[in-house]
């Protein structure tokens, strides 16, 4: 993953810049570095603004021009956790954790054997199966929403977190199958056979040959499935009510209140995003692997 | 004669059971996916030919193609199709372009490269609903949003008391939604393209440089062709998610001001108007449209895929 400098010109600055760089490489490199910093700051600015606003009082957060140096307070967070409204965000947060974690576990339980049958000991026409999984991901969620709603109504599963768990599992399963297949394809099959001939036990084979390749794949898959489940709004909005409401649904109901609410909303948005932000920062390389369905390692 | 037939048959049986042993690990995932994702669609297809409104339960019955006629002649639905295409194409193309520029910048060594990369990723990690709320209330708000606040601050700096204070969401609703989405999806494109850049064969590029190829030539004839498959992958995955976008439209404009895309319109037809028949017909139309696009998209992935497996 090493990269050398000077290989990547910006399309906008082709000829003159390219000629100048050959004579004065350090300076143009520095300018491009500064441009990168500038763009990075521009992109992260809304998030920093959200953080700052969440730490301001409602009055200080609703001024024009913005009061950047206003005194900091945790009032917004206290309001989010129900200081005056009495509505606790904990049940929705807990529902989100339940739905995301359990659906991710289920996805792995389905996806790993399936990926095995598509890579290490492939079935015939395994590419067709793989593309069938991907095609289900392209089917618009909204086209299946009504039957699922009607089914849930008849089966008494409306406002039940288990319904969300099943739906999130189906939503993420195609991605997980693709990812796990690409990781399992890296397991050296010859080494498995050699290990079997040498009389290595199953546990040892798994630990020494399979695990080093597959565990990072499982981590990347889990991260992506967790993020997509945690973020999901449409299903949760239509299929849950007061009991099984998830954190994103709770967020959408947050601005109906009267008066100033900006600090409170920023605090809420930040708390709900925090698990994803932490997980994403901690596993940046896994994020790339996951987003490209395992095509990029 | 009979023995050889018997051995052939037993060999057949053996092979078939071996086939099933291979298929067995695949079946739970396959059956689960078919039941949860394909079965509902069959129901949607049936309901799309029915007159079924939850408000008038007595009038339920089959009506043939009426719902499709209504969907295809409905101005709202046609607008929704146009909005969906416009929204998806704009967001995918702009975030791909920005993602490419930023990936090229980040592929160079400079002080704090890791920090800039981390900053760039952050927008993608904000929960979509939270991001939409942030843009709507903290940035676009005409009275105290950050955008107008900064305009005021800059105008004051130059001694003006009458800064322009545009109402961003009312005057340019679709652009507002697109801006919020581009902010979230540029990091996604950047990550995929950066990974693609770092997988380039550096020795070949070095050789080209020694042969006197300029930076633009190297980009045009070596980097870009190598990146093409990653651009296609980013465009495909981005389209899959942005065509289905619900969160941003729902939160920022509630589908008003001409920003209602198909997912939002169908959601409304079914959830608020309770017109199950029409919502289903619209759903089927969306699926047919998606299948047409997906056929091309899948061809792209499969070419990428062949390249990967042949490596």
């Amino acid at each position: 993953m090493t990269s050398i400098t000077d290989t990547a010109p910006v399309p906008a600055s082709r000829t003159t810049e390219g000629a100048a760089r050959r004579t004065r490489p350090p300076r143009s490199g520095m300018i491009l570095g500064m441009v990168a910093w500038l763009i990075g700051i521009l992109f992260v600015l809304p998030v920093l603004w959200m953080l700052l606003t969440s730490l301001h009082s409602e009055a200080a957060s609703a001024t024009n021009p913005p009061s950047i140096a206003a005194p900091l307070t945790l009032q917004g967070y206290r309001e989010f956790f129900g200081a005056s409204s009495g509505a606790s965000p904990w049940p929705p947060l807990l529902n989100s954790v339940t739905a995301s974690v359990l659906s991710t576990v289920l996805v792995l339980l389905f996806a790993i054997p399936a990926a095995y049958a598509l890579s290490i000991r492939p079935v015939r026409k395994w590419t067709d199966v793989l593309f069938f999984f991907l095609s289900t991901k392209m089917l618009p969620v909204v086209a299946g929403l009504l039957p699922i709603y009607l089914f849930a109504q008849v089966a008494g599963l409306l406002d039940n977190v288990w319904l969300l768990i099943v739906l999130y599992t189906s939503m993420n399963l195609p991605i997980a199958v693709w990812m796990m297949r690409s990781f399992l394809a890296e397991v050296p099959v010859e080494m498995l056979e050699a290990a079997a001939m040498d009389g290595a036990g199953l546990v040892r084979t798994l630990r020494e040959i399979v695990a080093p390749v597959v565990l990072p794949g499982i981590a990347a898959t889990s991260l992506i499935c967790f993020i997509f489940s945690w973020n999901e709004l449409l299903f949760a909005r239509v299929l849950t009510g007061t009991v099984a409401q998830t954190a994103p649904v709770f967020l959408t109901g947050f601005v109906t209140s009267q008066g100033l609410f900006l600090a409170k909303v920023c605090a809420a948005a930040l708390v709900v995003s925090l698990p994803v932000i932490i997980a994403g920062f901690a596993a940046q390389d896994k994020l790339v692997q996951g987003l490209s369905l395992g095509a990029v390692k | 004669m009979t023995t050889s037939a018997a051995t052939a048959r037993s060999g057949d049986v053996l092979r078939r059971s071996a086939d099933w042993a291979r298929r067995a690990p695949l079946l739970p995932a396959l059956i689960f996916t078919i039941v949860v994702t394909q079965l509902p669609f069959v129901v949607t297809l049936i309901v799309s030919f029915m007159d079924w409104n939850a408000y008038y339960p007595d009038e339920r019955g089959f009506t043939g193609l009426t719902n499709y006629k209504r969907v295809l002649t409905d101005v709202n639905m046609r607008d929704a199709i146009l909005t969906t295409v416009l929204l998806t194409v704009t967001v995918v193309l702009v975030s791909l372009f920005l993602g490419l520029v930023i990936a090229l910048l980040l592929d160079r060594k400079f002080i704090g490269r890791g920090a800039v990369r981390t900053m760039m990723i952050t927008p993608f990690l904000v929960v979509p609903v939270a991001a939409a709320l942030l843009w709507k209330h903290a940035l676009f708000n005409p009275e105290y949003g950050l955008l107008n606040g900064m305009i005021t601050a800059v105008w004051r700096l130059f001694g003006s008391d009458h800064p322009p204070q545009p109402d961003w969401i009312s005057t340019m609703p679709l652009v507002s939604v697109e801006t919020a989405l581009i902010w979230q999806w540029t990091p996604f494109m950047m990550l995929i393209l950066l990974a693609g850049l770092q997988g380039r064969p550096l020795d070949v590029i070095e050789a080209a440089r020694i042969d006197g190829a300029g930076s633009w030539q190297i980009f045009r004839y070596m980097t870009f062709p190598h990146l093409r498959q990653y651009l296609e992958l980013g465009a495909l995955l981005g389209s899959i998610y942005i065509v289905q976008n619900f969160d941003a439209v729902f939160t920022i404009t509630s589908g008003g001001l001409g920003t209602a895309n198909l997912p939002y319109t169908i959601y409304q037809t079914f959830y608020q108007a309770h017109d199950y028949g029409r919502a289903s017909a619209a759903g089927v139309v969306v699926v047919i449209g998606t299948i047409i696009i997906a056929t091309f998209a899948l061809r792209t992935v499969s070419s990428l895929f062949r390249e990967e497996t042949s490596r």
Side-chain angles (χ1 to χ4, degrees):
Chain A
M1 286 304 239
T2 51
S3 71
I4 58 167
T5 50
D6 242 7
T7 56
V10 181
S13 61
R14 26 189 152 166
T15 42
T16 50
E17 191 60 35
R21 192 183 305 146
R22 239 164 285 140
T23 49
R24 300 193 306 267
R27 180 185 282 183
S28 78
M30 216 173 79
I31 290 171
L32 288 177
M34 274 159 63
V35 171
W37 265 98
L38 204 73
I39 296 177
I41 290 167
L42 208 63
F43 266 82
V44 85
L45 194 67
V47 178
L48 295 180
W49 180 244
M50 174 163 75
L51 175 65
L52 188 67
T53 306
S54 76
L55 291 167
H56 279 165
S57 67
E58 293 294 358
S61 66
T63 62
N64 185 350
S67 353
I68 291 165
L72 302 182
T73 165
L74 286 175
Q75 193 55 37
Y77 291 89
R78 273 196 286 273
E79 286 297 320
F80 171 64
F81 285 105
S84 59
S85 66
S88 169
W90 286 114
L93 283 170
L94 204 65
N95 282 332
S96 274
V97 171
T98 313
S100 309
V101 171
L102 289 185
S103 73
T104 302
V105 171
L106 270 178
V107 163
L108 290 175
L109 287 180
F110 280 123
I112 295 173
Y116 173 84
L118 295 171
S119 59
I120 294 178
R121 290 195 67 202
V123 296
R124 265 180 280 165
K125 298 203 168 177
W126 59 275
T127 45
D128 291 351
V129 178
L130 204 53
F131 277 97
F132 166 73
F133 277 112
L134 189 63
S135 70
T136 67
K137 196 64 207 158
M138 292 178 183
L139 207 67
V141 168
V142 76
L145 193 60
L146 173 70
I148 291 168
Y149 176 80
L150 294 175
F151 164 78
Q153 209 173 31
V154 173
L157 282 171
L158 280 180
D159 206 7
N160 186 328
V161 78
W162 275 100
L163 181 65
L164 288 186
I165 293 171
V166 170
L167 292 174
Y168 292 173
T169 305
S170 80
M171 174 178 89
N172 287 328
L173 190 55
I175 306 176
V177 168
W178 268 76
M179 288 178 65
M180 286 313 302
R181 191 215 65 89
S182 85
F183 284 100
L184 285 182
E186 306 240 311
V187 172
V189 179
E190 323 79 64
M191 276 178 75
L192 288 182
E193 283 155 9
M197 250 178 260
D198 289 349
L202 182 66
V203 177
R204 215 179 127 211
T205 314
L206 281 178
R207 200 181 57 211
E208 287 177 15
I209 303 172
V210 179
V213 185
V214 174
L215 284 183
I218 292 178
T221 310
S222 310
L223 177 74
I224 292 297
C225 294
F226 177 83
I227 291 179
F228 281 139
S229 306
W230 184 270
N231 288 350
E232 206 281 332
L233 176 68
L234 184 56
F235 278 139
R237 159 115 195 131
V238 173
L239 301 169
T240 68
T242 45
V243 182
Q245 190 186 55
T246 60
V249 181
F250 184 78
L251 262 187
T252 58
F254 215 64
V255 278
T256 47
S257 54
Q258 297 293 308
L260 297 174
F261 54 76
L262 197 58
K264 196 171 83 168
V265 166
C266 284
L270 211 63
V271 172
V272 171
S273 301
L274 210 58
V276 178
I277 293 178
I278 292 172
F281 278 171
Q284 286 189 20
D285 53 330
K286 299 275 181 297
L287 202 62
V288 189
Q289 293 171 352
L291 294 176
S292 63
L293 299 176
V296 169
K297 295 235 167 53
Chain B
M1 189 98 161
T2 41
T3 40
S4 71
T7 42
R9 203 175 307 135
S10 78
D12 227 35
V13 169
L14 263 177
R15 195 166 56 85
R16 214 170 295 158
S17 70
D19 273 359
W20 278 107
R22 274 177 183 243
R23 275 178 215 145
L26 183 64
L27 291 179
L30 205 56
I31 292 167
F32 180 85
T33 303
I34 290 170
V35 169
V36 183
T37 69
Q38 309 295 297
L39 225 49
F41 182 66
V42 175
V43 178
T44 302
L45 198 63
I46 296 169
V47 175
S48 74
F49 293 107
M50 288 173 76
D51 186 10
W52 185 356
N53 189 315
Y55 287 140
Y56 312 103
D58 299 335
E59 295 171 15
R60 201 162 81 187
F62 281 91
T63 62
L65 291 170
T66 319
N67 288 320
Y68 287 94
K69 268 183 217 141
R70 278 166 67 204
V71 163
L72 293 173
T73 51
D74 183 7
V75 182
N76 285 333
M77 205 54 87
R78 263 186 287 174
D79 284 350
I81 293 174
L82 198 70
T83 306
T84 309
V85 173
L86 210 62
L87 184 75
T88 310
V89 171
T90 312
V91 173
V92 169
L93 287 185
V94 174
S95 50
L96 250 176
F97 175 74
L98 288 177
L100 176 63
V101 172
I102 298 164
L104 287 168
L105 284 170
L106 280 181
D107 191 41
R108 315 162 52 85
K109 273 207 182 96
F110 62 89
I111 299 161
R113 190 169 71 162
V116 173
R117 196 179 112 118
T118 305
M119 290 197 294
M120 274 306 306
I121 295 173
T122 315
F124 189 71
L125 298 175
V126 176
V127 170
V129 186
L133 285 172
L134 170 73
W135 279 88
K136 179 176 185 176
H137 296 292
L139 303 174
F140 282 142
N141 186 297
E143 284 159 44
Y144 47 77
L146 182 64
L147 288 180
N148 283 356
M150 289 204 300
I151 292 177
T152 307
V154 172
W155 251 251
R156 289 246 173 106
L157 208 63
F158 294 105
S160 165
D161 280 336
H162 300 288
Q165 298 282 286
D167 187 347
W168 302 93
I169 294 177
S170 309
T171 48
M172 38 181 111
L174 195 57
V175 175
S176 302
V177 174
E178 286 165 353
T179 309
L181 284 173
I182 289 166
W183 177 70
Q184 281 220 287
W185 285 92
T186 299
F188 171 87
M189 303 297 183
M190 185 274 290
L191 278 175
I192 288 183
L193 294 175
L194 186 60
L197 278 176
Q198 293 177 338
R200 277 178 306 173
L202 291 177
D203 45 345
V204 182
I205 288 169
E206 203 46 50
R209 191 184 310 285
I210 291 165
D211 288 346
S215 298
W216 170 247
Q217 281 172 312
I218 290 177
F219 176 78
R220 173 70 187 78
Y221 296 106
M222 307 185 79
T223 306
F224 191 73
H226 172 80
L227 271 189
R228 220 187 97 173
Q229 50 177 337
Y230 294 93
L231 286 164
E232 287 170 348
L233 183 71
L236 166 72
L237 294 173
S239 308
I240 290 180
Y241 290 111
I242 294 160
V243 162
Q244 305 203 26
N245 180 274
F246 172 75
D247 310 30
V249 172
F250 176 78
T251 310
I252 296 180
T253 57
S254 307
L257 306 165
T259 58
N261 61 351
L262 279 167
Y264 186 84
T265 309
I266 296 174
Y267 159 82
Q268 224 179 7
T269 315
F270 138 66
Y271 200 65
Q272 282 163 11
H274 290 276
D275 193 337
Y276 293 172
R278 194 152 61 101
S280 300
V284 173
V285 171
V286 177
V287 169
I288 292 170
T290 319
I291 288 172
I292 295 170
I293 300 168
T295 315
F296 290 105
L298 281 177
R299 209 170 290 163
T300 307
V301 185
S302 71
S303 73
L304 180 74
F305 182 75
R306 268 196 303 275
E307 215 163 293
E308 189 211 339
T309 44
S310 68
R311 246 197 330 235

